[in-house]
């Protein structure tokens, strides 16, 4: 990050943040107790992370493995306590999970003893404000939308990894959250399934216009899906750069062939490499 | 359920390694390297094995290779069974044993599930009671029989307590461990949807604990049978256990074997019934 020069993308500071943000994360810090330490030494995982998303905006966050992306997401979800800083959604400070946010986890984490239909309806069921029939019809509509209509009665072990992620997506979207938080939902899928799901998500997101934070470590995915791409540095995670993506949404696969797309991907790759010290680049967890 | 959610989270942090794969969704159970037999084939093989052993036993006994007093023989056992039935001894004995087992195991099941679930769900309660459970489980419970008879005599009540003492522990321990090891990812999903503690218990902890609970019930059933025999031997000489015991003292080996076979049949029946229940409950495991 020391290598940032005048023509590098703007560095985000809270003072820069405009007032119309739907999601506002300001100076977020988080550390974990080091495993097995009794003297209380801590590892800083997130440090002074600030980012924001306007209503309806699709923000992708990219960064190397272990840089704190999932931690950032669970903080926004209210599932992890924050250390420093604040998170605001629609003007209200986040202090725990809320019905306004839903998470698509990195692992599908479907409940194996529930059918796909009942997994997708899980969030609605827990709310206890809808009738069984209403839940069923909402779930049925959502299953159609993600292409799982035929598999409603299957158990998770009976469907493929791609289908599990569709169900994971459906489970979050069916509660109609104002903010959708996705943690590398396609990270474990093969290239072909991944592209199909990206296309479907792009179409879906275009239609639903929900504010979304989408975490990934796939640069092309970040550019293809995002209105803007936030680049995080390795541990402790910081916002290294933020780039707008100029293509209008909804996007189709064809944009990936445009030279501008390739240039953006190239630029991001460079930024990520500057963010990672040479000794660390290419290292997986 | 008044436990704070932060407390649940702490507990699961403490117990589960962070990057542990979920128990069910990411590990598939598959058949071993050897070919698996179909159910009818398995049953056929099992039955032929029993028939073969009985035939060999009979042949050896008839040929005088076995001491009749010690080993008896299938035909003698069959005769003894017919005599016990015609003298109207067997039926009442089975009824008495079934009643003891039914009440004893029923009490064990209800209390075992309740105690196990409470211990699995409330870490503080578990911290207080775990040593007691371990101590009681480790003590050879036969050693407690004289104490029980001092407290409640040697009647039906005392017998039920013996069955309970033997059968309840596997149910408590398995239920506790099943409930306390909630999958971290599943917990996070539930919490993300604002599940209450009660909802987490009902929709995540209990279903996830089913395999452990069923295995606890299986062990409890088998231990319960042992408990019934113990109770009948030591308290009142009633039922099938009493029949075996008195037959043993008068050297009526065949009669003792009749009793033993009845317990064996009961064990087999429970085992088969439980398998069927297991298959139904765990269709999702595939
Ligand atoms: N509950 C926890 N307790 C202690 N340390 C944790 C905990 N959760 C995460 N960490 C640590 O925090 C760091 C960031 O983890 P996080 O899961 O947020 O990374 P990530 O960017 O999502 O990685 P990946 O791309 O591999 O999913 C890691 O070093 C991890 O070991
Ligand atoms: Mg992650």
């Amino acid at each position: 990050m020391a290598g940032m020069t005048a023509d590098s993308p703007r560095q985000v500071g809270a003072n820069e943040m405009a007032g119309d943000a739907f999601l506002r994360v300001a100076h977020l810090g988080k550390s974990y107790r080091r495993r097995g330490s009794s003297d209380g030494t801590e590892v800083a995982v997130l440090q002074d992370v600030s980012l924001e998303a306007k209503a309806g905006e699709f923000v992708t966050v990219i960064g190397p493995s272990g840089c704190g992306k999932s931690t950032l997401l669970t903080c926004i979800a209210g599932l992890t306590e924050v250390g420093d800083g604040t998170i605001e959604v629609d003007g209200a400070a986040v202090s725990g999970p809320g019905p306004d946010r839903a998470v698509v986890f990195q692992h599908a984490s479907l409940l194996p003893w529930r059918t796909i239909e009942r997994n997708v309806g899980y969030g609605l069921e827990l709310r206890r404000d809808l009738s069984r029939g209403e839940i069923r019809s909402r779930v049925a509509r959502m299953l159609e939308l993600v292409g799982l209509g035929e598999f409603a009665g299957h158990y998770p072990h009976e469907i493929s990894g791609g289908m599990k992620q569709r169900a994971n997506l459906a489970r979050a979207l069916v509660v109609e959250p104002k903010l959708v938080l996705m943690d590398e939902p396609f990270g474990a899928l093969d290239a072909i399934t991944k592209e199909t799901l990206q296309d479907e998500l792009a179409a879906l997101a275009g239609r639903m216009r929900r504010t979304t934070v989408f975490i990934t470590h796939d640069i092309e995915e970040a550019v293809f899906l995002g209105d803007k791409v936030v680049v995080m540095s390795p541990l402790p995670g910081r916002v290294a750069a933020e780039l707008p993506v100029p293509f209008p949404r909804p996007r189709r696969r064809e944009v990936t062939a445009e030279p501008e797309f390739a240039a953006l991907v190239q630029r991001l790759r460079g930024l990520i490499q500057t963010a990672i010290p040479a000794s660390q680049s290419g290292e997986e967890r | 359920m008044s436990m704070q959610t932060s407390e649940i989270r702490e507990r699961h942090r403490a117990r589960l390694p962070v990057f542990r794969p979920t128990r069910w969704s990411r590990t598939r159970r598959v058949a071993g390297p050897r070919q698996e037999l179909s159910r009818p084939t398995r049953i056929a093989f099992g039955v032929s094995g029993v028939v073969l052993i009985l035939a060999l036993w009979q042949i050896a006994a008839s040929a005088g290779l076995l001491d009749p007093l010690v080993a008896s023989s299938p035909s003698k056992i069959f005769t003894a069974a017919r005599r016990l039935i015609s003298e109207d001894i067997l039926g009442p004995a089975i009824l008495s044993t079934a009643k003891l087992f039914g009440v004893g195991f029923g009490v064990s099941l209800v209390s075992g599930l309740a105690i196990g679930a409470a211990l699995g769900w409330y870490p503080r309660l578990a911290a207080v009671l775990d040593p007691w459970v371990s101590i009681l489980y480790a003590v050879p419970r036969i050693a407690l029989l004289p104490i029980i008879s001092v407290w409640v005599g040697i009647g039906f009540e005392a017998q039920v307590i013996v069955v309970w003492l033997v059968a309840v522990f596997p149910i408590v321990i398995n239920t506790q461990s099943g409930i306390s090891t909630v999958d971290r990812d599943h917990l996070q999903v539930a919490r993300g949807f604002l599940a209450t503690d009660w909802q987490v218990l009902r929709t995540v902890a209990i279903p996830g604990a089913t395999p452990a609970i069923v295995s606890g019930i299986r062990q409890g059933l088998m231990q319960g049978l042992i408990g019934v025999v113990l109770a009948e031997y030591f308290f009142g000489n009633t039922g099938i256990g009493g029949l075996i015991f008195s037959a043993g003292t008068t050297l009526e080996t065949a009669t003792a074997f009749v009793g033993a076979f009845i317990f064996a049949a009961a064990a087999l029946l429970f085992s088969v019934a439980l398998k069927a229940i297991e298959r139904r409950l765990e269709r999702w495991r595939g």
Side-chain angles (χ1 to χ4, degrees), chain B residues 149-222:
Chain B
S149 68
V150 169
W151 286 347
V152 295
I154 57 163
F156 185 68
E157 220 176 297
Q159 289 183 320
V160 169
I161 292 177
V162 174
V163 176
W164 179 80
L165 265 182
V166 180
V168 78
F169 285 96
I171 302 176
V172 168
I173 290 167
N174 282 280
T175 305
Q176 177 182 0
S177 96
I179 296 280
S180 67
T181 52
V182 179
D183 188 294
R184 197 173 179 276
D185 290 350
H186 295 159
L187 186 69
Q188 212 168 44
V189 170
R191 295 227 307 114
F193 287 125
L194 303 170
T196 61
D197 288 346
W198 175 247
Q199 285 175 323
V200 171
L201 179 68
R202 197 170 51 76
T203 63
V204 179
I206 291 177
T210 313
I213 292 174
V214 172
S215 117
I217 292 174
R218 171 186 301 282
Q219 291 168 36
L221 275 171
M222 299 307 154

Side-chain angles (χ1 to χ4, degrees), chain A residues 35 74 79 81 97-99 105 107 109-114 122-123 126 128 155 157 159 164 171 175 285, chain B residues 9 18-19 24-26 28 185-186 188-195 199 203-204 207-208 283-286:
Chain A
R35 208 167 252 292
T74 52
L79 292 167
E81 274 166 52
F105 291 96
H107 306 296
S109 305
L110 300 174
L111 300 175
W113 48 83
R114 282 178 174 244
Y122 185 57
L126 290 182
R128 289 190 295 196
Y155 284 97
H157 78 266
I159 62 173
K164 280 182 200 154
R171 176 174 62 187
V175 301
R285 184 179 63 220
Chain B
R9 194 174 53 215
V18 177
F19 293 109
W24 315 124
S25 55
R26 262 162 269 149
R28 285 208 185 171
D185 290 350
H186 295 159
Q188 212 168 44
V189 170
R191 295 227 307 114
F193 287 125
L194 303 170
Q199 285 175 323
T203 63
V204 179
R283 259 177 314 167
W284 50 268
R285 268 222 311 216

